[in-house]
């Protein structure tokens, strides 16, 4: 049995105890969370989110590229969210390589260099501020008065705001 | 108190009961989940994921663009994941508009037309298959023998595989 098969089994148990009925499409708490994809960072447990509460957007690093602008624009413009919470974290894989190294290794391996940036970074707080700056600079995100950035400490479970 | 302030308060409680210690960076279950950002879809509850188990990548629609290829490439090449689970869902916001309509409304509102696709779709199962096809077509994703796609039913809590 593959891991996917096991997780699909878990989903059967979830459906059996499902008692939420039809929740509304727009997030109840009017917030979008943008976080790193890291396995140790569970936005539901960390922020106490329940089904229906918030949009959750995630990628390698929790960075802001065109696709996060797309998701945030749809979240705010069509589904009424008003606040944005950014979460990076300690011991992030994105701190362990550079864009040049990553592209070189891919090119050496498959003969094609990615045409996109890997979005590696060397300073956590700086990259959180970079993500906030990219959101504020976008003409497509209407509400940027509550965009706050945090670092989650995978060692302690603590969430620290970046000022 | 803003919603962000409330969620940060929840994070304090999470840190106080945090007892996981330092988990390894690579996901224990060697799986990456790519799902829609929808508030009603909680991949942790649904799939029974715990902290440390899986990469979770999310965006509007659960679609595959360059940024998801970037995240999946980093997930597989640097952090050892081997299986990919795609999750779309019923009552998705992406079914309620077209790219043309979305771009027009943004252009009318702020005077600039997004240079990226909104990635709206009109058929759930077809878009799941489209996402699988984009992953399989990418030269940057080394392991594509276990890429499986699902539709989560927000009305019932059930997860249905797309064949």
């Amino acid at each position: 049995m593959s891991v996917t098969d096991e997780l699909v089994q878990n989903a059967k148990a979830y459906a059996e105890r499902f008692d939420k009925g039809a929740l509304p499409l727009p997030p109840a708490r009017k917030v979008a969370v943008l976080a790193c994809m890291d396995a140790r960072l569970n936005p539901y447990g960390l922020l106490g989110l329940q089904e229906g509460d918030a949009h959750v957007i995630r990628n390698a690093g929790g960075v802001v590229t065109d696709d996060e602008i797309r998701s945030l624009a749809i979240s705010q413009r069509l589904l009424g969210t008003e606040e944005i919470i950014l979460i990076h974290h300690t011991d992030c894989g994105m701190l362990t390589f550079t864009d040049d190294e990553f592209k070189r290794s891919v090119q050496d391996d498959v003969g094609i260099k990615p045409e996109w940036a890997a979005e590696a970074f060397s300073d956590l707080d700086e990259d959180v501020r970079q993500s906030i700056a990219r959101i504020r600079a976008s003409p497509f995100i209407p509400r940027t008065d509550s965009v706050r950035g945090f670092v989650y400490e995978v060692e302690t479970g603590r969430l620290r705001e970046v000022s």
Side-chain angles (χ1 to χ4, degrees), chain A residues 45-101:
Chain A
L46 177 64
L47 301 176
L49 294 174
Q50 302 294 318
E51 281 83 344
D53 280 349
H55 283 147
V56 182
I57 302 161
R58 302 183 66 175
N59 63 56
V63 301
V64 175
T65 74
D66 275 354
D67 198 54
E68 288 68 43
I69 295 295
R70 179 185 70 85
S71 294
L72 289 169
I74 289 169
S75 176
Q76 290 200 352
R77 296 182 58 89
L78 301 182
L79 295 163
T81 63
E82 298 173 351
E83 298 178 38
I84 298 174
I85 297 175
L86 301 170
I87 308 179
H88 285 41
H89 63 91
T90 55
D91 196 38
C92 186
M94 306 300 284
L95 294 159
T96 66
F97 63 92
T98 68
D99 273 41
D100 285 345
E101 288 163 6

Side-chain angles (χ1 to χ4, degrees), chain A residues 5 10 14 19 43-44 46 53 58 71 79 89 108 111 122 134 142 159 161:
Chain A
D5 288 330
N10 292 345
Y14 181 82
D19 58 1
Y44 294 84
L46 177 64
D53 280 349
R58 302 183 66 175
S71 294
L79 295 163
H89 63 91
D108 288 349
S122 58
R134 288 185 183 181
L159 190 67
E161 185 154 15

Side-chain angles (χ1 to χ4, degrees), chain A residues 29-50:
Chain A
R29 309 307 306 269
K30 297 182 190 284
V31 64
V33 178
L34 168 51
C36 183
M37 70 179 179
D38 191 272
R40 297 160 296 180
L41 169 52
N42 169 0
Y44 294 84
L46 177 64
L47 301 176
L49 294 174
Q50 302 294 318

